[in-house]
Each structure stands twice: as structure tokens, then as C-alpha cells.
Amino acid sequence: MKFRKDVSSSRRTNRKAHFSAPSNVRRLLMSSGLSKELREKYKVRSIPVRKDDEVRIVRGSFKGTEGKVTQVYRRKWVIHINGVNVNKVNGNTVPAGVHPSNVVITKVKLDKDREAILARKNRETLSGKGKGKYAAEDVQKMADVE
């Protein structure tokens, strides 16, 4: 059921919005998940990828490859990773584009803006209680009511 009349549920409209999105929106759409260690450390699931992040490819023909992001190519919806290249017929090597959804970030390049993003997205500080929707005492109170 549709709840917001100003948001389309049409495939055609959503595809047009996605592929004609401006650069600032593409930045958010080109997010990658964090590795399990970073997820535990920062309590954040994903973050927009940027140059100088270190990533591991988890899908596709380059699966298992690790490297540093050399370029985030928003126009083509891909990132270029150091050491991930393809050979052209004429002998040249060119960087292969990898979609950010197919990588996990293993090392985050931190600056003050990135730290602010991680602090804002931190799930423990958002809920105030940590993991889970309710605290144990809240569940006990609800059980007593019934």
C-alpha cells in the first residue's frame, strides 16, 4: 500500500530519478558496507565510499581482491581500485570499474567530516540503549501489564 502520494511507486519514474540523479545524491547512493570489524567498532552499517578508503571486493570476477580506492567515478556509478585493471586488445591496461555495492570497506580514511558522519549514524547513540528496540526492564514491564 502506498503511504506517501508525493513518492512514485512507478518503476519507470524511479529508474529515471536514479539514473538522472545529481552528483550529491549519487554520493549517497554509492555507499558501501563496512567490514565486520569496522561495524563493531563504529556501530554503523554503511558509509559513502571515498578516495583513499581501503576496500575488499566481495562480488564479481575480482572477488577477494583488496586495494585502495583511487577514484570514485560518480558519472559512471563505479569506483576504481588500485590493482584492479583489465587489458585492452591493443595491449593497454585500464582500471576496471567496480560498483560500490560489490565491495566492503576495510579501512576508513578519517577526517573531521567523516568522523562526524560516523558519530551521527552511530546506532547506539541513536537508540540510547544499544542493540534492540527495548531494554530488558521495558520488556518486563510490558509482560506485567498483560
Side-chain angles (χ1 to χ4, degrees):
M1 184 177 166
K2 191 169 174 182
F3 294 106
R4 292 178 59 187
K5 64 179 182 181
D6 58 330
V7 175
S8 174
S9 56
S10 164
R11 173 180 164 86
R12 174 184 180 179
T13 308
N14 283 316
R15 282 178 57 83
K16 181 175 183 186
H18 182 272
F19 290 109
S20 62
S23 181
N24 63 322
V25 175
R26 286 184 187 218
R27 176 182 163 273
L28 295 174
L29 292 172
M30 292 178 68
S31 293
S32 293
L34 296 178
S35 66
K36 289 185 178 176
E37 299 82 32
L38 292 179
R39 224 179 258 184
E40 288 292 317
K41 182 177 178 183
Y42 295 115
K43 305 289 189 269
V44 173
R45 188 170 187 83
S46 65
I47 193 168
V49 117
R50 70 164 283 181
K51 186 178 175 180
D52 294 331
D53 282 346
E54 291 184 22
V55 297
R56 183 176 67 248
I57 302 175
V58 293
R59 296 277 186 282
S61 57
F62 296 106
K63 181 177 181 178
T65 309
E66 294 193 35
K68 189 178 273 195
V69 176
T70 56
Q71 182 183 21
V72 179
Y73 204 155
R74 292 185 193 168
R75 176 177 278 176
K76 288 189 175 181
W77 296 95
V78 295
I79 58 175
H80 293 152
I81 301 166
N82 194 18
V84 178
N85 299 315
V86 290
N87 294 323
K88 291 173 64 171
V89 178
N90 65 6
N92 291 347
T93 59
V94 292
V98 179
H99 195 273
S101 65
N102 296 330
V103 304
V104 293
I105 299 172
T106 55
K107 188 176 178 189
V108 180
K109 176 160 195 280
L110 284 177
D111 56 11
K112 66 178 174 75
D113 294 327
R114 212 87 187 279
E115 287 172 0
I117 291 169
L118 288 169
R120 188 181 71 235
K121 289 184 76 171
N122 188 329
R123 284 184 285 170
E124 279 192 356
T125 57
L126 284 178
S127 65
K129 302 171 199 165
K131 190 173 180 181
K133 202 170 186 181
Y134 300 105
E137 58 270 4
D138 293 340
V139 173
Q140 190 62 35
K141 287 178 189 175
M142 285 187 254
D144 293 340
V145 170
E146 295 170 358

